[in-house]
Amino acid sequence: MASFEHTIRSRYSCRDFSPQTVPRALLDRLLRAAQGITHADGKRSVPSASSLYSLKLLAIAGRIRGLDAAAYIFDPESCRLETYLDHDVRYALQHAALEEQPWIGQAAGIITICADMGAATQTFADQPPYGSRGQRYAWIEAGAAAQNIQLQATAEELGSVLVAGFRDEATAEALVLEAPITPLIHLCFGWPAAKQ
């Protein structure tokens, strides 16, 4: 097994994916790296202010072996995926991106990190700057989850790229998200094209 230092040095943004399918077990490991429960008291793989865990993970499957092309919601307690949308939304997300980002539609799958910004805002409403401290915590938690996903993908020899350049309203519409649930980051992943 590669050392953690080697994994960090090997991480890069992959924007050219092969058409090969990705095994479901690899997707499961990416999701657990982002929000898996790691302790008996319910603590997870990333830090969360006051253990609020305001993040919601959507797994968009395009070419995931054992999953229909659809969008799923990840339940950290059971580590299960439940069907959220019964169709492939990768191309809708690509059209919602800022500028041309063809790797969104080309990826085998996407993990979209969302947050309940209402819960984050309300929980930390008494901390200055009032009304926005909780949102800052949600962004920090999302960044930690995104980094874990990318490092796990690197350890699995998958390619991945973080995408935050998208139109918020169009992305929320493609994912049928209602406020205060807010899409923050896409992690596109798949086998690098060079592995063909």
Side-chain angles (χ1 to χ4, degrees):
M1 177 178 242
S3 72
F4 186 62
E5 181 183 3
H6 175 77
T7 301
I8 291 173
R9 280 191 283 113
S10 300
R11 192 218 62 81
Y12 71 100
S13 294
C14 175
R15 293 181 176 85
D16 191 13
F17 298 106
S18 123
Q20 286 179 281
T21 60
V22 170
R24 162 78 186 269
L26 294 189
L27 170 60
D28 291 341
R29 289 200 285 273
L30 297 179
L31 292 164
R32 284 196 304 270
Q35 280 289 283
I37 294 177
T38 55
H39 296 80
D41 63 359
K43 288 193 172 28
R44 299 186 189 175
S45 55
V46 298
S48 180
S50 294
S51 298
L52 179 62
Y53 300 114
S54 63
L55 300 187
K56 313 290 180 203
L57 301 185
L58 296 179
I60 290 92
R63 294 184 310 280
I64 308 297
R65 194 174 310 130
L67 283 178
D68 291 334
Y72 301 84
I73 191 159
F74 177 65
D75 177 8
E77 306 253 337
S78 66
C79 284
R80 291 191 172 167
L81 291 174
E82 297 175 17
T83 303
Y84 175 69
L85 298 172
D86 64 1
H87 58 282
D88 188 350
V89 295
R90 289 175 300 155
Y91 296 104
L93 294 177
Q94 181 178 326
H95 290 300
L98 298 175
E99 303 174 353
E100 289 296 315
Q101 299 190 62
W103 42 88
I104 297 172
Q106 185 192 50
I110 301 167
I111 297 172
T112 298
I113 301 173
C114 305
D116 183 338
M117 288 302 197
T121 299
Q122 186 174 24
T123 300
F124 301 102
D126 60 342
Q127 293 184 3
Y130 304 108
S132 63
R133 176 66 59 175
Q135 292 184 18
R136 181 182 302 180
Y137 292 153
W139 279 104
I140 291 168
E141 185 178 345
Q147 180 77 340
N148 279 8
I149 292 168
Q150 288 210 289
L151 292 175
Q152 184 67 46
T154 300
E156 304 284 357
E157 299 185 355
L158 286 169
S160 67
V161 63
L162 183 152
V163 174
F166 52 76
R167 290 176 286 122
D168 295 2
E169 288 182 13
T171 299
E173 184 178 339
L175 293 170
V176 194
L177 298 174
E178 294 185 12
I181 306 300
T182 304
L184 304 180
I185 303 169
H186 299 312
L187 271 298
C188 304
F189 66 90
W191 298 114
K195 288 189 74 75
Q196 287 186 27

